């Protein structure tokens, strides 16, 4: 494990160097947000699928491209390699922001972007539109995942929905009593768990505070946690500054978070199902819940790099990862709802899709998928300017102090 | 010798040419290292400074190459960066002080008390931690500082608790990591100090503290400063240890890292990165006045 971690860090260091030395001349190509609205750089999708190039370089969330190295029985990469002849090289990214940076290097062919990265990737010209006709399994994807604001622009598809999940509240059942039901547990200034609470170390976590405020302070009028005007934004930031006093540590490395919960240094905080699954395998007494306020979440999209060196293999990978069998495997391993409606018949746990509400549209209405905050308010308000993501990033440094 | 280069052969002629033209000889020797120094080292520093005056497109993150002082204005005007800078310097100073306090007696024992044979083994013992990887050591400290770790276990009989994750844990971890870089220069400095001076001080009636104050310290001080340059600069630039054992705190290195890796704001990262460079320049200028740099 340690050697893989070292390798990961070394790779991260190298890719950062690459990012640093990377060609930044693309700034002249335009794209971005103007008064007139959001215009992606002009690019066309692939028209016909050719033969594979022999390999494909992926940027993925941990658990999205398993090749059996973490668990021998969890492997959908080798069958893909065997079926298509495309060797898979995976770079695990820890945060959406890291994904955006990695894709700028031009070294990768496809990325499993969450909604807080996808629009930035499109606007930055890092990814190209996707021809969904070349992805046969696309027809079986749940309709409420198709052509959403984070995977399409002006009716043009930019990716293939992979799966979705919620950011859950997790606690140690032996240390936290009574069991929490609300995000209030992590925002309570007089929390008895001071110094043992964790929060996600990314600017997008500001949306979690905004979501909590939308339920507890209706006067602020927050409708969409990713569309915050200055007043709503300041309230969210203040809540997080106050929360900081109770934080033990922020996490962005999911293995570090898992270790903290296991040792009991962290007893309460936001998490992903994959961390809870890892802890359950370690026999740590933890439980998760979707709190009463709902939660933030993600709906990830596989996107193809604009300058992909192996586009055919990238398309084959996208079709593979949402094929019923692989989509069921990845959903069960990661702990998320599959995007392919036929995947539910192939999960090893027959109740899996019910547990994860795969087809439960009212449930997903409570989950606010990550999106990229831009100065045009995403909730449709025209009379105010919203705070954009660059300001969110600066505020995040301020919050951590 | 004459077999490989007969009189008048090309090697011989080249040797003759180099002998007659000392400037050519010098150029041949120095071109490669100077290229490295100027292009790779000073060049990258120069690129850093230039980048610091650019900005990025707020949404796409692409670099906009237009001269702009905004990054430095933000750096000065927003109090959070001042706080982080002061905190980072404080950590670097604390690490340096702890390391010199631990290193001095250790180095003194090695240089003046231990037998030559023991001396050799002690030098090896000081160097061995450098063979282990940085992350291995940092994660070892993470486990030790954990609530169920060895520090808590050690302190619990006397009713104490480990410090947990945070700045104290960061200082301890960094002090551990950089200790060899302090011991070795101090050890070298003490070895150069003639034993006869200590004997003379004793013969003239100086007690051990007076001997230390008036004889040892003035002569070894430059070596301590040399070690402090290592510990101070290494601590000032570190961002990994604080991520692993620092809990919720952040240092300058983290701000740089977050702006490169997370915010993808390279120009602002470059502007932040000039802060430790400036601090080190000031530190080196101050040190130069003590004459310590001549003793490096």
């Amino acid at each position: 494990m340690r050697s893989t971690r070292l390798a990961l860090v070394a790779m991260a260091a190298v890719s950062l160097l690459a990012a640093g030395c990377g060609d930044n001349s693309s700034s002249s190509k335009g794209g971005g947000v103007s008064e007139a609205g959001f215009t992606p750089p002009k690019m066309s999708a692939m028209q016909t699928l050719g033969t594979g190039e022999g390999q494909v370089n992926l940027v993925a969330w941990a658990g999205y491209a398993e090749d059996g190295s973490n668990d021998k029985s969890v492997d959908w990469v080798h069958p893909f390699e065997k079926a298509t002849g495309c060797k898979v090289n995976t770079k695990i990214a820890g945060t959406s922001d890291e994904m955006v940076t990695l894709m700028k290097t031009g070294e990768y062919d496809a990325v499993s972007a969450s909604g807080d990265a996808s629009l930035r990737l499109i606007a930055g010209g890092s990814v190209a539109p996707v021809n969904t006709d070349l992805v046969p399994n696309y027809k079986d994807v749940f309709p409420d995942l198709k052509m959403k604001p984070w995977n399409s622009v002006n009716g043009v598809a930019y990716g293939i929905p992979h799966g979705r999940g919620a950011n859950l509240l997790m606690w140690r059942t032996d240390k936290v009593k009574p069991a929490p039901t609300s995000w209030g547990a992590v925002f309570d200034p007089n929390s008895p768990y001071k110094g043992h609470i964790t929060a996600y170390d990314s600017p997008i976590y500001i949306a979690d505070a905004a979501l909590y405020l939308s339920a507890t302070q209706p006067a602020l009028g927050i409708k969409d946690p990713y569309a915050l005007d200055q007043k709503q934004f300041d309230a969210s930031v203040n809540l997080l500054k106050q929360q900081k006093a109770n934080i033990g540590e922020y996490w962005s490395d999911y293995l570090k978070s898992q270790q903290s919960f296991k040792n009991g240094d962290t007893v309460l905080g936001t998490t992903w199902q994959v961390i809870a699954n890892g802890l359950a395998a370690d026999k740590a007494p933890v439980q998760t819940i979707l709190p009463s306020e709902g939660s933030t979440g993600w709906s990830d999209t596989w996107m193809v790099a604009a300058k992909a060196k192996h586009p055919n293999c990238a398309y084959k990978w996208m079709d593979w990862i949402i094929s019923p069998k692989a989509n069921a495997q990845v959903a069960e391993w990661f702990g998320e709802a599959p995007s392919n409606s036929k995947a539910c018949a192939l999960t090893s746990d027959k109740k899996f899709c019910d547990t994860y509400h795969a087809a439960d549209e009212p449930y997903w209405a409570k989950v606010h998928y990550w999106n990229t905050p831009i100065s045009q308010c995403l909730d449709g308000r025209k009379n105010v300017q919203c705070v954009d993501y660059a300001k969110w990033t600066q505020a995040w440094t301020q919050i951590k102090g | 010798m004459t077999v490989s280069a007969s009189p008048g052969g090309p090697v011989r002629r080249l040797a003759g040419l180099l002998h007659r033209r000392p400037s050519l000889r010098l150029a041949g020797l120095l071109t490669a290292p100077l290229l490295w120094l100027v292009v790779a080292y000073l060049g990258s520093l120069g690129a850093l400074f230039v980048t610091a005056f650019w900005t990025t497109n707020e949404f796409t993150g692409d670099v906009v190459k237009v001269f702009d002082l905004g990054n430095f204005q933000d750096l000065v005007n927003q109090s959070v960066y001042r706080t982080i800078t002061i905190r980072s310097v404080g950590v670097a100073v604390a690490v340096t002080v702890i390391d010199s306090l631990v290193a001095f007696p250790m180095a003194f024992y090695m240089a003046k008390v231990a037998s030559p044979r023991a001396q050799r083994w002690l030098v090896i013992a000081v160097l061995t931690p450098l063979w282990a990887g940085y992350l291995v050591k940092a994660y070892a400290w993470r486990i030790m500082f954990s609530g169920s770790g060895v520090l808590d276990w050690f302190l619990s009989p006397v009713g104490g608790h480990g410090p947990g994750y945070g700045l104290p844990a960061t200082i301890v971890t960094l002090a551990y990591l950089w200790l060899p870089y302090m011991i070795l220069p101090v050890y070298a400095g003490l070895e150069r100090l003639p034993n006869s001076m200590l004997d003379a001080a004793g013969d003239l009636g100086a007690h051990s503290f007076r001997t230390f104050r008036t004889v040892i310290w003035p002569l070894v001080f430059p070596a301590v400063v040399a070690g402090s340059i290592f510990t101070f600069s290494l601590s000032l630039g570190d961002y990994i240890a604080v991520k692993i054992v620092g809990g919720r705190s952040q240092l300058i290195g983290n701000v740089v890292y977050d702006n490169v890796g997370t915010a993808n704001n390279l120009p602002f990262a470059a502007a932040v990165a000039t802060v430790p460079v400036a601090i080190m320049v000031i530190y080196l200028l101050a040190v130069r006045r003590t004459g310590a740099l001549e003793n490096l």
Side-chain angles (χ1 to χ4, degrees):
Chain A
M1 203 67 222
R2 185 159 278 148
S3 61
T4 43
R5 287 204 47 79
L6 283 170
L8 279 179
V9 169
M11 273 166 65
V14 169
S15 56
L16 279 178
L17 277 177
C21 308
D23 172 16
N24 288 318
S25 61
S26 52
S27 56
S28 55
K29 275 209 309 280
V33 183
S34 62
E35 292 301 315
F38 169 58
T39 40
K42 281 227 175 322
M43 250 180 282
S44 49
M46 205 153 91
Q47 292 309 312
T48 50
L49 202 58
T51 48
E53 294 88 350
Q55 61 171 332
V56 60
N57 299 325
L58 306 176
V59 174
W61 291 108
Y64 273 18
E66 289 295 318
D67 59 3
S69 56
N70 287 317
D71 185 332
K72 267 191 223 109
S73 62
V74 180
D75 182 358
W76 51 91
V77 165
H78 284 119
F80 168 75
E81 291 178 341
K82 209 178 260 175
T84 63
C86 299
K87 195 183 166 316
V88 176
N89 309 307
T90 310
K91 164 84 184 107
I92 306 284
T95 62
S96 290
D97 313 293
E98 205 183 326
M99 286 188 170
V100 175
T101 311
L102 286 172
M103 288 309 286
K104 274 187 188 299
T105 65
E107 299 288 311
Y108 301 94
D109 302 307
V111 56
S112 63
S114 297
D116 58 332
S118 53
L119 285 189
R120 278 184 281 160
L121 289 167
I122 296 169
S126 298
V127 295
V130 166
N131 184 349
T132 53
D133 293 341
L134 301 181
V135 182
N137 284 310
Y138 186 72
K139 64 179 190 305
D140 299 321
V141 169
F142 286 110
D144 64 334
L145 284 171
K146 286 180 179 174
M147 302 304 278
K148 289 292 163 184
W150 56 88
N151 58 27
S152 68
V153 176
N154 302 333
V156 178
Y158 272 85
I160 303 296
H162 165 103
R164 49 184 161 179
N167 293 316
L168 301 167
L169 177 62
M170 180 158 73
W171 70 96
R172 286 270 301 217
T173 50
D174 55 339
K175 302 261 173 72
V176 177
K177 284 170 187 153
T181 57
S182 149
W183 287 115
V186 297
F187 292 117
D188 176 9
N190 306 312
S191 171
Y193 313 111
K194 187 179 167 69
H196 298 284
I197 295 174
T198 195
Y200 188 52
D201 190 359
S202 163
I204 206 68
Y205 187 69
I206 294 171
D208 286 58
L211 179 68
Y212 175 67
L213 288 178
S214 73
T216 53
Q217 292 189 31
L220 283 168
I222 298 174
K223 272 183 278 167
D224 177 343
Y226 307 99
L228 304 175
D229 61 38
Q230 196 63 48
K231 195 168 145 236
Q232 299 166 336
F233 183 73
D234 291 344
S236 310
V237 168
N238 284 335
L239 179 63
L240 290 170
K241 281 184 176 162
Q242 171 210 305
Q243 184 203 28
K244 193 214 166 195
N246 291 333
I247 295 285
E249 60 179 0
Y250 293 97
W251 69 275
S252 57
D253 172 345
Y254 81 106
L255 287 172
K256 209 177 89 177
S257 164
Q258 192 172 319
Q259 189 209 7
S260 285
F261 267 101
K262 179 151 173 53
N263 290 339
D265 295 316
T266 299
V267 300
L268 181 68
T270 179
T271 197
W272 297 334
Q273 189 67 44
V274 67
I275 299 174
N277 291 354
L279 284 164
D282 275 352
K283 306 228 176 344
V286 294
Q287 210 174 330
T288 56
I289 189 181
L290 181 75
S292 53
E293 297 90 1
S295 80
T296 57
W298 71 93
S299 166
D300 292 348
T301 307
W302 280 100
M303 305 178 118
V304 178
K307 294 176 192 148
K309 293 187 189 78
H310 316 100
N312 292 312
C313 275
Y315 267 83
K316 284 176 201 287
W317 169 260
M318 290 198 298
D319 191 45
W320 179 268
I321 199 65
I322 63 158
S323 65
K325 182 83 200 302
N327 203 230
Q329 280 177 302
V330 71
E332 278 200 285
W333 171 248
F334 192 79
E336 65 182 353
S339 62
N340 189 321
S341 53
K342 287 187 178 161
C344 289
L346 295 172
T347 52
S348 59
D349 171 4
K350 287 301 157 209
K351 283 205 200 125
F352 182 83
C353 276
D354 296 337
T355 318
Y356 282 86
H357 308 268
D360 184 356
E361 290 195 21
Y363 174 88
W364 295 110
K366 276 172 70 179
V367 175
H368 302 260
Y369 302 116
W370 282 345
N371 210 335
T372 309
I374 53 179
S375 48
Q376 292 174 294
C377 293
L378 295 164
D379 58 3
R381 285 180 293 169
K382 296 273 184 238
N383 52 348
V384 283
Q385 280 249 314
C386 279
V387 181
D388 65 35
Y389 192 68
K391 302 254 169 51
W392 283 48
T393 311
Q394 283 176 0
W396 188 245
T397 302
Q398 308 262 7
I399 288 164
K400 289 205 290 174
Chain B
M1 223 174 96
T2 47
V3 177
S4 60
S6 56
V11 176
R12 193 64 184 261
R13 253 183 298 154
L14 183 67
L17 182 71
L18 286 177
H19 181 72
R20 284 192 306 277
R21 297 266 179 84
S23 55
L24 206 63
R25 203 164 64 214
L26 197 66
L29 272 175
L30 289 185
T31 308
L34 273 181
L35 265 182
W36 170 257
L37 184 73
V38 173
V39 176
Y41 192 75
L42 294 179
S44 61
L45 263 184
L48 180 84
F49 279 115
V50 172
T51 314
F53 292 102
W54 291 339
T55 51
T56 51
N57 181 316
E58 288 190 341
F59 189 52
T60 63
D62 292 330
V63 175
V64 180
K65 292 174 183 168
V66 178
F67 182 82
D68 184 272
L69 282 173
N71 289 332
F72 288 99
Q73 278 163 359
D74 282 353
L75 211 56
V76 173
N77 293 340
Q78 299 193 9
S79 64
V80 64
Y81 299 114
R82 228 165 16 239
T83 315
I84 295 171
T85 304
I86 292 168
R87 182 186 304 142
S88 307
V89 172
V91 166
V93 168
V95 169
T96 304
V97 168
I98 291 173
D99 273 350
S100 37
L101 287 180
V102 175
F104 204 93
M106 177 78 193
F108 190 82
Y109 182 84
M110 282 163 66
K112 296 292 169 207
V113 184
S115 67
R117 191 182 142 81
Q119 224 173 71
R120 224 171 23 245
W121 283 109
L122 282 171
V123 170
I124 292 172
V126 167
L127 286 175
T128 35
L130 295 179
W131 299 348
Y134 179 110
L135 283 182
V136 175
K137 291 183 280 187
Y139 270 97
W141 278 102
R142 178 173 167 83
I143 292 165
M144 283 195 269
F145 278 114
S146 144
S148 52
V150 69
L151 283 180
D152 260 34
W153 173 79
F154 215 69
L155 292 170
S156 58
V158 291
H161 277 293
Y165 302 136
L167 275 190
T170 311
I171 292 171
V172 170
T173 306
L174 288 176
Y176 165 79
L177 285 170
W178 310 141
L179 185 60
Y181 297 98
M182 181 62 100
I183 291 182
L184 292 177
V186 176
Y187 165 70
L190 280 166
E191 257 209 326
R192 282 202 299 266
L193 177 76
N195 285 338
S196 56
M197 285 203 167
L198 304 183
D199 295 339
D203 290 348
L204 291 170
H207 292 295
S208 40
F209 179 70
R210 198 183 163 89
T211 309
F212 173 78
R213 197 169 57 83
T214 57
V215 180
I216 303 176
W217 181 249
L219 287 170
V220 181
F221 179 68
V224 175
V225 170
S228 79
I229 292 171
F230 290 123
T231 55
F232 189 81
S233 61
L234 288 170
S235 307
L236 200 59
D238 193 85
Y239 67 97
I240 303 175
V242 70
K243 274 239 168 205
I244 295 172
V245 296
R248 61 186 184 207
S249 50
Q250 55 182 348
L251 301 177
I252 297 181
N254 299 94
V255 179
V256 176
Y257 178 82
D258 286 349
N259 275 289
V260 174
T262 307
N264 194 35
N265 192 343
L266 286 179
F268 190 70
V272 176
T274 57
V275 173
V277 174
I279 292 173
M280 276 319 292
V281 168
I282 293 169
Y283 187 71
L284 288 176
L285 286 178
V287 162
R288 201 172 68 115
R289 295 180 67 91
T290 69
L293 293 185
E294 283 90 69
N295 285 277
L296 276 179

Coordinates of all heavy atoms in Angstrom, one line a residue, chain A residues 49 130-141 159-161 302 304 314-323:
Chain A
L49 N -16.0 5.8 -35.5 CA -15.1 5.1 -34.5 C -14.2 4.2 -35.3 O -14.6 3.5 -36.2 CB -16.0 4.2 -33.6 CG -15.4 3.7 -32.3 CD1 -15.0 5.0 -31.5 CD2 -16.4 2.9 -31.5
V130 N -19.1 15.0 -27.2 CA -19.1 13.5 -27.4 C -20.2 13.1 -28.3 O -21.4 13.6 -28.1 CB -19.2 12.8 -26.0 CG1 -19.5 11.4 -26.2 CG2 -17.9 13.0 -25.2
N131 N -19.9 12.3 -29.2 CA -20.9 11.8 -30.1 C -21.5 10.5 -29.5 O -21.0 9.5 -29.5 CB -20.3 11.4 -31.5 CG -21.3 10.9 -32.5 OD1 -22.5 10.7 -32.1 ND2 -20.9 10.8 -33.7
T132 N -22.8 10.7 -28.9 CA -23.3 9.6 -28.1 C -23.7 8.4 -29.0 O -23.9 7.3 -28.5 CB -24.5 10.1 -27.3 OG1 -25.4 10.8 -28.2 CG2 -24.1 11.1 -26.2
D133 N -23.9 8.7 -30.3 CA -24.2 7.6 -31.2 C -23.1 6.5 -31.2 O -23.3 5.4 -31.6 CB -24.5 8.1 -32.6 CG -25.7 8.9 -32.6 OD1 -26.5 8.8 -31.7 OD2 -25.9 9.7 -33.6
L134 N -21.9 7.0 -30.9 CA -20.8 6.0 -30.9 C -20.6 5.2 -29.6 O -19.7 4.5 -29.5 CB -19.4 6.8 -31.2 CG -19.4 7.6 -32.5 CD1 -18.0 8.2 -32.7 CD2 -19.7 6.7 -33.7
V135 N -21.6 5.5 -28.7 CA -21.5 4.8 -27.4 C -22.9 4.0 -27.3 O -23.8 4.5 -26.8 CB -21.4 5.8 -26.3 CG1 -21.3 5.1 -24.9 CG2 -20.2 6.7 -26.5
P136 N -22.9 2.8 -27.8 CA -24.2 2.1 -27.9 C -24.9 1.9 -26.6 O -26.1 2.0 -26.6 CB -23.7 0.7 -28.4 CG -22.4 0.9 -29.0 CD -21.7 2.0 -28.4
N137 N -24.2 1.8 -25.5 CA -24.9 1.6 -24.2 C -25.6 2.9 -23.7 O -26.3 2.9 -22.7 CB -23.9 1.1 -23.2 CG -23.6 -0.3 -23.4 OD1 -24.5 -1.2 -23.5 ND2 -22.3 -0.7 -23.4
Y138 N -25.3 4.0 -24.4 CA -25.9 5.3 -23.9 C -27.4 5.3 -23.8 O -28.0 5.9 -23.0 CB -25.4 6.4 -24.8 CG -25.8 7.8 -24.4 CD1 -25.2 8.4 -23.3 CD2 -26.8 8.5 -25.1 CE1 -25.5 9.7 -22.9 CE2 -27.1 9.8 -24.7 CZ -26.5 10.4 -23.6 OH -26.9 11.6 -23.2
K139 N -28.0 4.4 -24.7 CA -29.5 4.4 -24.8 C -30.1 3.9 -23.5 O -31.3 4.2 -23.2 CB -29.9 3.6 -26.0 CG -29.6 2.1 -25.9 CD -30.1 1.4 -27.1 CE -29.9 -0.2 -27.0 NZ -28.5 -0.6 -26.6
D140 N -29.4 3.1 -22.7 CA -29.9 2.6 -21.5 C -29.7 3.4 -20.3 O -30.1 3.0 -19.2 CB -29.4 1.2 -21.3 CG -29.7 0.2 -22.4 OD1 -30.8 0.3 -22.9 OD2 -28.8 -0.6 -22.8
V141 N -29.0 4.6 -20.4 CA -28.8 5.4 -19.3 C -30.1 6.1 -18.8 O -30.9 6.4 -19.6 CB -27.7 6.5 -19.7 CG1 -27.6 7.6 -18.6 CG2 -26.4 5.9 -20.0
G159 N -20.4 14.4 -22.6 CA -19.9 13.3 -21.9 C -21.0 12.2 -21.7 O -22.1 12.4 -22.1
I160 N -20.5 11.2 -21.0 CA -21.4 10.0 -20.8 C -21.6 9.9 -19.3 O -20.6 9.7 -18.6 CB -20.7 8.7 -21.3 CG1 -20.4 8.9 -22.8 CG2 -21.6 7.5 -21.1 CD1 -21.6 9.0 -23.7
P161 N -22.8 9.9 -18.8 CA -23.0 9.8 -17.3 C -22.5 8.4 -16.8 O -22.8 7.4 -17.4 CB -24.5 9.9 -17.2 CG -25.0 10.5 -18.4 CD -24.1 10.1 -19.5
W302 N -18.0 10.8 -17.9 CA -16.8 10.5 -18.6 C -16.7 11.4 -19.8 O -17.6 11.5 -20.7 CB -16.7 9.1 -19.1 CG -16.4 8.1 -18.0 CD1 -17.2 7.4 -17.2 CD2 -15.0 7.9 -17.5 NE1 -16.5 6.7 -16.3 CE2 -15.2 7.0 -16.4 CE3 -13.8 8.4 -17.8 CZ2 -14.1 6.5 -15.7 CZ3 -12.7 7.9 -17.1 CH2 -12.8 7.0 -16.1
V304 N -14.1 13.1 -23.0 CA -12.9 12.8 -23.9 C -12.1 14.1 -24.1 O -12.6 15.2 -24.3 CB -13.4 12.3 -25.3 CG1 -12.2 12.1 -26.1 CG2 -14.2 11.1 -25.1
A314 N -10.6 5.7 -26.0 CA -11.3 6.5 -25.0 C -12.8 6.2 -25.2 O -13.6 6.0 -24.2 CB -11.0 8.0 -25.1
Y315 N -13.3 6.2 -26.4 CA -14.7 5.9 -26.7 C -15.1 4.5 -26.3 O -16.2 4.2 -25.7 CB -15.1 6.1 -28.2 CG -15.6 7.5 -28.5 CD1 -14.7 8.6 -28.6 CD2 -17.0 7.8 -28.5 CE1 -15.2 9.8 -28.9 CE2 -17.4 9.0 -28.8 CZ -16.5 10.1 -29.0 OH -17.0 11.3 -29.2
K316 N -14.2 3.5 -26.6 CA -14.4 2.1 -26.2 C -14.5 2.0 -24.7 O -15.3 1.3 -24.1 CB -13.3 1.2 -26.7 CG -13.4 1.0 -28.2 CD -12.2 0.1 -28.6 CE -11.9 0.2 -30.1 NZ -12.8 -0.5 -31.0
W317 N -13.6 2.8 -24.0 CA -13.7 2.8 -22.5 C -15.0 3.3 -22.0 O -15.6 2.7 -21.1 CB -12.5 3.6 -21.9 CG -12.7 3.8 -20.4 CD1 -13.1 4.9 -19.8 CD2 -12.4 2.8 -19.4 NE1 -13.2 4.6 -18.5 CE2 -12.7 3.4 -18.2 CE3 -12.0 1.5 -19.4 CZ2 -12.6 2.7 -17.0 CZ3 -11.8 0.8 -18.2 CH2 -12.2 1.4 -17.0
M318 N -15.5 4.4 -22.6 CA -16.7 5.0 -22.1 C -17.9 4.1 -22.3 O -18.8 4.0 -21.5 CB -17.0 6.3 -22.9 CG -16.1 7.4 -22.5 SD -16.7 9.1 -23.0 CE -16.7 8.9 -24.7
D319 N -17.9 3.4 -23.5 CA -19.0 2.4 -23.7 C -18.8 1.2 -22.7 O -19.9 0.7 -22.2 CB -18.9 1.9 -25.1 CG -20.2 1.1 -25.5 OD1 -21.3 1.6 -25.1 OD2 -20.0 0.0 -26.1
W320 N -17.6 0.8 -22.4 CA -17.4 -0.3 -21.5 C -17.9 0.0 -20.1 O -18.5 -0.7 -19.4 CB -15.9 -0.7 -21.5 CG -15.6 -1.8 -20.6 CD1 -15.2 -1.7 -19.3 CD2 -15.6 -3.2 -20.9 NE1 -15.0 -2.9 -18.7 CE2 -15.2 -3.9 -19.7 CE3 -15.9 -3.9 -22.0 CZ2 -15.2 -5.2 -19.6 CZ3 -15.9 -5.3 -22.0 CH2 -15.5 -5.9 -20.8
I321 N -17.5 1.2 -19.6 CA -17.7 1.6 -18.2 C -19.2 1.8 -17.9 O -19.7 1.6 -16.8 CB -16.9 2.8 -17.8 CG1 -16.8 2.9 -16.2 CG2 -17.5 4.1 -18.3 CD1 -16.0 1.7 -15.6
I322 N -20.0 2.0 -19.0 CA -21.5 2.1 -18.7 C -22.2 0.9 -19.3 O -23.4 0.8 -19.3 CB -22.1 3.4 -19.3 CG1 -22.0 3.5 -20.8 CG2 -21.6 4.6 -18.6 CD1 -23.0 4.4 -21.4
S323 N -21.4 -0.1 -19.7 CA -22.1 -1.4 -20.1 C -22.7 -2.0 -18.8 O -22.1 -1.8 -17.7 CB -21.1 -2.3 -20.8 OG -20.1 -2.7 -19.8

